Amino acid sequence: MKYISTRGQAPELTFEEAMLTGLARDGGLYLPAEIPVMPQDQIAGLAGLTYEEIAFKVMWPFVEGSFAEDEFREIIEHAYAGFDHAARAPLKQLNENHFLLELFHGPTLAFKDFAMQLIGQLFQVALKRRGDRVTIVGATSGDTGSAAIEAFRGLDAVDVFILFPDGRVSEVQRRQMTTPADSNVHALAVAGDFDDCQSALKDMFNDFDFRDSVKLAGVNSINFARVLAQIVYYFSAAVSLGAPHRKVSFTVPTGNFGDIFAGYLAKRMGLPIDRLVVATNQNDILHRCLTGEGYFKGDTIPSISPSMDIQVSSNFERALFYAYGEDAGAVSQLMEELKNGGFKVSQGAMESLRENFDSGRVSEDETLQTIQSTLAHSAELVCPHTAVGIKVAEDHRAENVPMITLATAHPAKFPAAVEKASDVHPPLPSRMSDLYERPERVTRIANNLGAIEKFIKGQIAE
Ligand SMILES: *Cc1c(COP(=O)(O)O)cnc(C)c1O
């Protein structure tokens, strides 16, 4: 499979090259040149398989040519071995027709582990074969960073630097990033918000001297390998509720649009998904856009669901690419306009987006109420991001179509909000109960590209 950039000006790459590169050199995001379609009888054949077997069958056409079959199977086995639930992504029933897809049984308690654990193994195998090493820099609103540090710690072919907004991640998130002692991983607390971290990261990728001198690689959700790993659980969940013989809908707590975009690809691959519902908190640029107001940046307002406190959703560019009929020129133009604040979406592209996506926005109060009511009615304690999803899902349920809400993090990752809403303190799973006692290691750094690049170069040189 070849990979192309959403902006049309970067070379076509193999899966392995696109994965190791992250952001395309024209500023765009890589996508497969064609979306492979899985015939309905093959989708039916996924019923009853293990998560790992489904993962292999769903992802293989995307990676073929970069990895051998046995090698890829082994990578998948390795990636999910550290999850503490045999089903990896179990489904729980909330009420008659509403299900929770629990994606928080990985090592850092959020869905990011599904992609990051896989990508860690893929990088290690690919780099070893090449006799190469890379520097991974990531920006995080909390969960990506902890998942990346956990996935890459101790691997000899990579150094990892994670930028996170100082004071704007939960204590559990911070400790998951600052307590691993391995010398190849570094947590950087940036004096700014998540969008500042993300834009510093983009600028590093566009600084070709720096990019080449440190062999910069990215594992943010712009990395197509991340999106790919997330397609798998849409299949496993839908099939266990009767797909392809029955349609299902998904509601996805959304920030950078990576998770829900994986659902869109699952649909394009032939999985019978009825609606894909974008759930946002008060940082609602996607909801405003999908309801016809255009895509215009606002200020990021900190919320109790901080992993969704995002104004510019990187992966939305991929959805726009398809909505504009794969017109890379049009996408480039929109991204130019975004630099000056935003853009209107054309009527044709709006219609295309609406064919697949609905959206809803949830206030802070509604989030707290939903945590409380979900505990009262279904005996499930959910994290604030998941609560945003549940509320929007309830507003978008259709008769006879099961709704699956993605439970994106474990409640113990956001104990303050959960306790405020429910009066219940969510305990950490026993395997990480000493998290609060482990020593922390963190570097505070200015919101300044030069300072960040200098620090990274200095650390690698050592
Ligand atoms: C990252 C994250 C999200 C948002 O996912 P995107 O792929 O960025 O849309 C939602 N909830 C949690 C808990 C997350 O960590």
Side-chain angles (χ1 to χ4, degrees):
M1 177 75 75
K2 282 286 179 190
Y3 287 78
I4 55 170
S5 165
T6 49
R7 301 198 194 168
Q9 302 293 318
E12 285 191 8
L13 300 180
T14 64
F15 173 79
E16 179 174 313
E17 290 164 339
M19 171 184 83
L20 293 173
T21 303
L23 193 67
R25 286 182 99 88
D26 58 4
L29 310 186
Y30 276 105
L31 280 169
E34 277 163 50
I35 300 173
V37 171
M38 191 183 276
Q40 298 294 295
D41 61 321
Q42 280 182 30
I43 296 177
L46 299 175
L49 299 186
T50 64
Y51 187 83
E52 284 79 353
E53 286 168 322
I54 294 173
F56 178 81
K57 289 194 184 330
V58 169
M59 293 191 285
W60 178 247
F62 291 92
V63 306
E64 201 176 352
S66 287
F67 294 91
E69 228 178 289
D70 284 351
E71 185 179 47
F72 190 54
R73 283 185 197 279
E74 213 169 289
I75 286 170
I76 293 170
E77 287 296 330
H78 219 102
Y80 300 117
F83 280 52
D84 66 6
H85 197 298
R88 309 309 181 214
L91 266 185
K92 271 212 179 136
Q93 191 159 9
L94 280 184
N95 57 37
E96 303 75 44
N97 225 3
H98 190 179
F99 297 81
L100 268 190
L101 179 58
E102 290 188 351
L103 300 176
F104 51 69
H105 295 284
T108 69
L109 309 179
F111 82 87
K112 306 280 195 310
D113 288 324
F114 276 88
M116 214 60 91
Q117 286 292 321
L118 183 80
I119 226 183
Q121 300 303 318
L122 291 170
F123 263 70
Q124 180 73 2
V125 170
L127 290 169
K128 270 214 165 141
R129 187 162 49 218
R130 292 168 164 233
D132 210 352
R133 59 178 295 122
V134 296
T135 303
I136 288 173
V137 184
T140 187
S141 53
D143 294 329
T144 301
S146 47
I149 284 176
E150 195 55 50
F152 286 93
R153 61 189 290 187
L155 297 185
D156 48 25
V158 274
D159 291 293
V160 178
F161 296 84
I162 297 297
L163 314 176
F164 70 89
D166 199 359
R168 293 207 186 177
V169 301
S170 82
E171 185 171 3
V172 175
Q173 288 177 319
R174 190 191 73 236
R175 285 180 173 276
Q176 285 180 335
M177 291 189 275
T178 58
T179 56
D182 310 73
S183 62
N184 72 321
V185 296
H186 308 267
L188 304 186
V190 177
D193 61 21
F194 172 67
D195 289 312
D196 293 325
C197 295
Q198 188 158 256
S199 90
L201 181 68
K202 277 214 165 184
D203 291 344
M204 267 180 257
F205 272 95
N206 289 322
D207 178 351
F208 291 144
D209 285 342
F210 175 78
R211 179 172 179 166
D212 294 336
S213 74
V214 303
K215 296 198 179 163
L216 190 62
V219 295
N220 263 73
S221 62
I222 52 174
N223 193 308
F224 185 74
R226 290 268 309 273
V227 175
L228 175 61
Q230 292 164 359
I231 298 174
V232 176
Y233 45 70
Y234 287 90
F235 275 87
S236 70
V239 166
S240 69
L241 290 183
H245 313 295
R246 181 160 82 145
K247 281 192 169 194
V248 296
S249 292
F250 288 91
T251 299
V252 186
T254 295
N256 247 333
F257 210 80
D259 210 5
I260 195 161
F261 183 72
Y264 169 81
L265 288 181
K267 185 172 180 177
R268 292 277 306 262
M269 288 175 74
L271 191 65
I273 295 176
D274 187 23
R275 307 302 303 165
L276 288 162
V277 188
V278 174
T280 77
N281 64 23
Q282 59 198 358
N283 296 294
D284 61 350
I285 183 168
L286 286 167
H287 177 59
R288 283 186 276 120
C289 181
L290 290 168
T291 48
E293 288 181 36
Y295 192 79
F296 291 94
K297 288 188 252 189
D299 291 327
T300 310
I301 313 162
S303 80
I304 55 172
S305 43
S307 302
M308 293 152 58
D309 289 349
I310 285 169
Q311 278 297 337
V312 179
S313 282
S314 313
N315 280 291
F316 195 53
E317 178 169 343
R318 289 188 159 116
L320 289 168
F321 179 75
Y322 291 122
Y324 278 83
E326 306 190 17
D327 180 349
V331 173
S332 304
Q333 172 100 39
L334 296 177
M335 294 302 133
E336 276 308 309
E337 290 176 40
L338 183 60
K339 286 184 187 157
N340 301 319
F343 53 82
K344 282 253 174 230
V345 180
S346 75
Q347 199 185 338
M350 253 344 275
E351 278 166 21
S352 165
L353 287 170
R354 285 207 180 109
E355 265 171 42
N356 295 294
F357 299 104
D358 292 320
S359 67
R361 168 198 197 277
V362 177
S363 71
E364 297 286 273
D365 274 350
E366 288 169 325
T367 306
L368 292 168
Q369 274 164 26
T370 305
I371 293 174
Q372 199 214 358
S373 61
T374 304
L375 182 63
H377 299 305
S378 313
E380 289 296 329
L381 195 56
V382 297
C383 92
H385 310 78
T386 305
V388 167
I390 290 172
K391 170 75 172 86
V392 171
E394 288 293 331
D395 295 341
H396 283 83
R397 266 168 62 187
E399 245 177 80
N400 299 325
V401 182
M403 175 61 87
I404 301 170
T405 296
L406 273 52
T408 50
H410 191 286
K413 214 163 179 183
F414 303 92
V418 171
E419 192 163 354
K420 182 174 174 194
S422 66
D423 283 330
V424 179
H425 182 78
L428 281 168
S430 56
R431 66 193 154 96
M432 51 183 74
S433 55
D434 67 338
L435 186 67
Y436 287 86
E437 278 97 67
R438 298 179 201 159
E440 292 192 76
R441 189 168 56 95
V442 63
T443 304
R444 297 218 148 65
I445 199 152
N447 176 19
N448 175 292
L449 185 65
I452 298 170
E453 289 185 346
K454 191 169 160 217
F455 176 81
I456 292 172
K457 276 192 164 170
Q459 291 292 317
I460 297 175
E462 274 174 20

